[in-house]
Every structure is written in structure tokens, then in C-alpha cells.
Amino acid sequence: MRIVILGAGTVGTWIADLLCRNNHSVTVVENNSDHVRAINAELDVRAIHGSASESAILFQAGIIGCDLCLALTGDDEVNIVAASMAKAMGARRSVARVYGRVFRDLSTFDYQRHFRIDRFLSLEHLSAVEFVRAIRSPGSAVLENFARGELEVQEIICDDPAPAIGKPLKEVGLPKGVRVGTIQREGKTWIAGAGDSILLGDHITLIGTREEIDNVKAKFEVKATPVRSVVIAGGGETGLALARMLEGQRYHVTLMEENMERCEFLSRLLEHTTVVHADATRKAILEEERVGRSDVFVACTGDDENNIMSCVEAREIGAPECMAIVQRPDYANVVEKLGINLAVSPRNVVARQVLGLLNSGPIISKKNLPGGGIAIVEFEVMPGVKATQHVIANLKLPPHCLIAAIMSSDYVRVASADDRLTPGDTVVVLVDEASLDSVVKLFDETS
């Protein structure tokens, strides 16, 4: 594929090298002449000196007709403008890296839709999602990357004789805003169908908003899920995103931040999180906050060494699970020896996201659930395709397929049987890998 990367900082250079090693044609635009010389000397890519937000430079980089443009500079506004220009000039897909939470907050303004950008990538938010997946259960938070944070996926273990146990899903009476996504039984996972029945011991995933899921949980579980205690060290964007995804009925979240002004800001945003003004690198403070009695300790400050040391101290005082943000790749072998259960590298996380975007045709992105077999695919709905000709209930979908979410200019919601897809929509589909080609034909203009 032809890929243009705007910005050759740490992340941009890392992604350029990764894509080059995967045999893609890569052009890099960078306004620092020293970086340009270094890239031309060290990587098998074409590097151009210039501003990412200048049309002449984008034209020179071959933006017209390129398969993917990645705006990865350190400036949010430059990334948004450049990615928007790239899309308007003919790039098939454009992606912008953003740091500021305001750009992903749909309650005030939808920047992504307004500027016609296919995806916003936030290293901080993606890192938080990695922690959430590990804390909840493997695979449970995948949709949060696709549905722009508007929908949630929760796993429920059906180990009580609740009202829905033994009934086909079509008879359970779920509201439109909630769907059962997958069923896991005896080590096997499959996409739920209307005729499937939930049995004792099954693990199921519910897709919907947090409020709607909480309203239907009683159908699948009698006893409430035990509340787990999570302590987060570091109130930056990663810590904030992690707290917002976890806070609620299932988790008691404590967020430790040493900057008082930031603490006040966090306390205004987080309704169900305890915000503590404290230095999480000090063992005495961790003991005072009873970190040893927590279920999970997560260190996500802006410093690798502080994160590692905080986890070591938390482990010593009894925390059973310790996780950390670790930027430097040469620390990978160290953290495991120190008893850290999970080390998240933002660069590796964003690299996996970028690799998932390297698709042709109507597929925007594709990712497999842990264990393989089931893919989560994001499709762009184009004019005249078969997927727009009927309501979802009448589409010729293969058996192991679920249209889980619809994203339009006005809403993001769980799909229902009587919804009709319209051009310009983006849909998230859970599909068995063996049936993927059949689903692609519904969204492909050439079919």
C-alpha cells in the first residue's frame, strides 16, 4: 500500500519503520531537516522536508490517491487540519493523532465527522483500553476502539439461575439498545444468534450504553458481580481515560495525582472516582492509601522509572495485580522479572491500530478477538451497495454475523433489526472469519 506519514517524531518514525518492514511504500513529511536526513539515511522510505499542513507539500508527498495518510505530529491542530486536507485531496483513508480530550468529546462537537477524518488515534486512550481489557477480561473492551467510546462492552458470567438462563435470546426480551455479542462456553466462543440459549456457566458479552446494560443485567445474573478495587497512579490523560471507563457499579476506583490543580480538575470530571492528592512513588503513601488491599494497581504517570518503581512498591505491600505504562522498549525484559503483570507500550498499541487499518475496499479497520476465529470489522457504507437495500433483518447475512453498532453523523447506537443502513454510515460488525467474504460483498460497490 502507498502510505504517507506526517510527522517523524518518536511515534511517526516507529510506524514508518514498521510499515516499511511490512513491505509498504512509505513517504514521510517532517519539518525538521535533521530528522529528514536521519530518516533518509536509516530507513528505506522517502522523506520530505516541509510542513504537514501545506497543500504543496502534501501534493509532493503523493497524497493524491494514497491508501492511507497518518498525521502523527506532536500538534493536535496540525494533525486535524492535515488529515482533513489529505482526505479532501484524495487519500482513501486519513487518520489523525490527538492528545486533547476535547477532540474526542462528542458531547460538545464532533471534530472527526466535521473534518471528514476516518479515525482519531489517541495513544493515551488506546493505552487505557489495553488496561481495561486486562482488568475486565481478555476481549471485553474491544468495541470501545470502534464505537468512539459511546458504547460499552461488559462481560457477565452466568453462574446463577437468572430469568434468561435456558431461554433462546429471542424470548429474553432485550431492549433495542442492548445486544448479546458473544457467548463463551467450555473454552469455545461464538457470535450469539437469536436462537441461542444461555446456559449456566456461560460467559456472555453485552453491547450497549452503560446505563442500558445495567438495566438488563438482572436477566442474566442474580447476584451482583463483586466490586473490584482499582488504584490508578497518575492523573494524566491515560489515568483519566482509564478511570472514566472503569468507574461505576463494578469497580471502586481511586486515582492518585501529585498535582493539586490537576486533582481539582479530575474531581470535577469523575463522579464515582476517589481522587487523592498524593505521590504514588512513595511506599508510605501507598501503604496509607491501602494499595496492598486493592485488586489491581495501575501506574500510568509520564515517567517509566516512576511507573516501574510504583509497581514494585505496590507488589511488596500486597497488591496482587500490578500494571504499568512503559515507553522504552529496552525495559520489556525488566518488567516481567519485577513481577509486573502487564506493561503497556503506547507505541506498540498504536502500531497494532495502524496495522488494523491496512485494508482495501469498504473495510476501514479489522481486528480479531483474542483466540482467533471472530473478527470485529468496521465498514464504510457507500451509495448503492446491497447493505442499503433492506432493513438489517432482511439482509442476507451469514449465520455467524452480527451488525453490532451504527455510527452516523447524528448518533452512535446499537443496531436493531428494523434499522436501515444509509450511505455515509459506519457500521461495526462481528463476524466469523470464514464468513467475512460474504459480508464484504454486502458493502462492496463492485458486487
Side-chain angles (χ1 to χ4, degrees), residues 1 65-68 87 90-94 118 357 359-361 363:
M1 285 189 168
C66 79
D67 296 293
L68 179 64
K87 186 74 173 182
R92 193 172 69 86
R93 304 277 183 231
S94 67
D118 294 291
L357 292 166
N359 301 285
S360 58
I363 297 177

Side-chain angles (χ1 to χ4, degrees), residues 34 133 171 176-177 190 202 220 231 341 360 375 411:
D34 292 335
R133 181 181 294 117
E171 297 178 10
K176 282 187 176 181
W190 67 92
D202 286 354
F220 300 95
V231 178
N341 301 86
S360 58
Y411 56 79

Side-chain angles (χ1 to χ4, degrees), residues 288-340:
E288 184 179 329
E289 297 302 327
R290 300 181 179 181
V291 169
R293 297 184 184 180
S294 66
D295 294 297
V296 183
F297 176 78
V298 183
C300 48
T301 71
D303 184 275
D304 282 359
E305 287 77 12
N306 284 345
N307 290 338
I308 293 171
M309 289 305 301
S310 294
C311 281
V312 171
E313 300 284 16
R315 172 71 77 183
E316 284 191 0
I317 63 176
E321 286 188 55
C322 296
M323 307 176 185
I325 289 281
V326 179
Q327 303 269 4
R328 289 179 53 174
D330 53 335
Y331 282 173
N333 295 326
V334 176
V335 293
E336 187 175 345
K337 296 175 183 177
L338 295 174
I340 297 174

Side-chain angles (χ1 to χ4, degrees), residues 129 132-156 177-183 189 203-214 217 245-246 250-251 369-370 376 402 404-405 414 428 430:
V129 169
V132 169
R133 181 181 294 117
I135 293 169
R136 289 180 180 168
S137 63
S140 65
V142 176
L143 268 189
E144 291 175 28
N145 285 351
F146 293 84
R148 300 160 72 190
E150 292 293 285
L151 299 178
E152 187 168 298
V153 179
Q154 290 190 22
E155 182 182 66
I156 292 179
V178 179
R179 298 292 296 271
V180 177
T182 59
I183 301 172
T189 303
H203 292 221
I204 66 170
T205 54
L206 294 178
I207 305 169
T209 65
R210 180 177 301 181
E211 294 74 20
E212 289 174 317
I213 291 175
D214 288 341
K217 276 185 180 179
M245 281 186 258
L246 290 178
R250 293 183 60 189
Y251 299 94
L369 282 172
I376 299 183
L402 172 67
V414 172
V428 179
L430 278 69

Side-chain angles (χ1 to χ4, degrees), residues 376-413:
I376 299 183
V377 187
E378 198 173 13
F379 286 100
E380 180 180 10
V381 181
M382 305 298 291
V385 298
K386 294 177 181 178
T388 63
Q389 296 174 2
H390 304 281
V391 296
I392 290 175
N394 295 333
L395 293 178
K396 294 181 179 179
L397 295 171
H400 301 290
C401 176
L402 172 67
I403 296 181
I406 303 173
M407 292 169 275
S408 77
S409 57
D410 301 318
Y411 56 79
V412 177
R413 72 181 183 208

Side-chain angles (χ1 to χ4, degrees), residues 110-123:
D110 192 339
Y111 289 87
Q112 183 177 326
R113 285 279 178 182
H114 179 78
F115 289 99
R116 298 182 64 244
I117 298 170
D118 294 291
R119 177 65 55 82
F120 276 176
L121 289 184
S122 163
L123 273 69

Side-chain angles (χ1 to χ4, degrees), residues 9-289:
T10 303
V11 175
T13 304
W14 169 264
I15 297 298
D17 185 34
L18 174 69
L19 294 174
C20 182
R21 285 186 275 113
N22 280 270
N23 299 317
H24 295 285
S25 174
V26 180
T27 300
V28 176
V29 174
E30 169 59 42
N31 63 2
N32 185 308
S33 57
D34 292 335
H35 288 179
V36 171
R37 282 192 291 270
I39 290 170
N40 278 325
E42 297 170 9
L43 302 181
D44 186 19
V45 302
R46 175 184 174 221
I48 297 173
H49 179 241
S51 171
S53 56
E54 290 185 14
S55 58
I57 297 297
L58 294 179
F59 181 81
Q60 184 183 349
I63 207 73
I64 298 174
C66 79
D67 296 293
L68 179 64
C69 173
L70 301 168
L72 304 175
T73 77
D75 189 306
D76 286 359
E77 287 79 6
V78 169
N79 288 339
I80 291 172
V81 170
S84 181
M85 290 173 61
K87 186 74 173 182
M89 292 176 70
R92 193 172 69 86
R93 304 277 183 231
S94 67
V95 176
R97 174 190 175 183
V98 294
Y99 174 82
R101 186 179 56 85
V102 64
F103 296 117
R104 293 181 292 104
D105 184 2
L106 299 181
S107 65
T108 54
F109 187 77
D110 192 339
Y111 289 87
Q112 183 177 326
R113 285 279 178 182
H114 179 78
F115 289 99
R116 298 182 64 244
I117 298 170
D118 294 291
R119 177 65 55 82
F120 276 176
L121 289 184
S122 163
L123 273 69
E124 296 73 27
H125 181 262
L126 291 172
S127 298
V129 169
E130 288 292 306
F131 288 127
V132 169
R133 181 181 294 117
I135 293 169
R136 289 180 180 168
S137 63
S140 65
V142 176
L143 268 189
E144 291 175 28
N145 285 351
F146 293 84
R148 300 160 72 190
E150 292 293 285
L151 299 178
E152 187 168 298
V153 179
Q154 290 190 22
E155 182 182 66
I156 292 179
I157 302 173
C158 303
D159 53 6
D160 298 309
I165 301 301
K167 292 183 180 179
L169 289 175
K170 59 186 176 184
E171 297 178 10
V172 172
L174 291 175
K176 282 187 176 181
V178 179
R179 298 292 296 271
V180 177
T182 59
I183 301 172
Q184 181 182 347
R185 182 183 302 158
E186 297 177 351
K188 296 182 179 179
T189 303
W190 67 92
I191 298 166
D196 284 320
S197 297
I198 307 300
L199 305 181
L200 283 175
D202 286 354
H203 292 221
I204 66 170
T205 54
L206 294 178
I207 305 169
T209 65
R210 180 177 301 181
E211 294 74 20
E212 289 174 317
I213 291 175
D214 288 341
N215 289 336
V216 302
K217 276 185 180 179
K219 292 179 181 287
F220 300 95
E221 60 181 8
V222 175
K223 294 182 293 186
T225 305
V227 175
R228 300 186 74 197
S229 171
V230 179
V231 178
I232 303 169
E237 288 301 311
T238 303
L240 172 58
L242 177 57
R244 294 189 75 169
M245 281 186 258
L246 290 178
E247 67 173 358
Q249 296 181 3
R250 293 183 60 189
Y251 299 94
H252 178 271
V253 183
T254 300
L255 180 56
M256 304 173 69
E257 168 59 42
E258 61 179 335
N259 183 288
M260 187 61 193
E261 186 177 345
R262 181 68 177 178
C263 283
E264 293 172 354
F265 171 76
L266 294 169
S267 63
R268 291 193 296 270
L269 290 178
L270 300 167
E271 296 181 16
H272 306 291
T273 296
T274 302
V275 179
V276 179
H277 179 224
D279 181 0
T281 62
R282 296 174 58 191
K283 185 176 182 179
I285 298 295
L286 297 180
E287 289 176 329
E288 184 179 329
E289 297 302 327

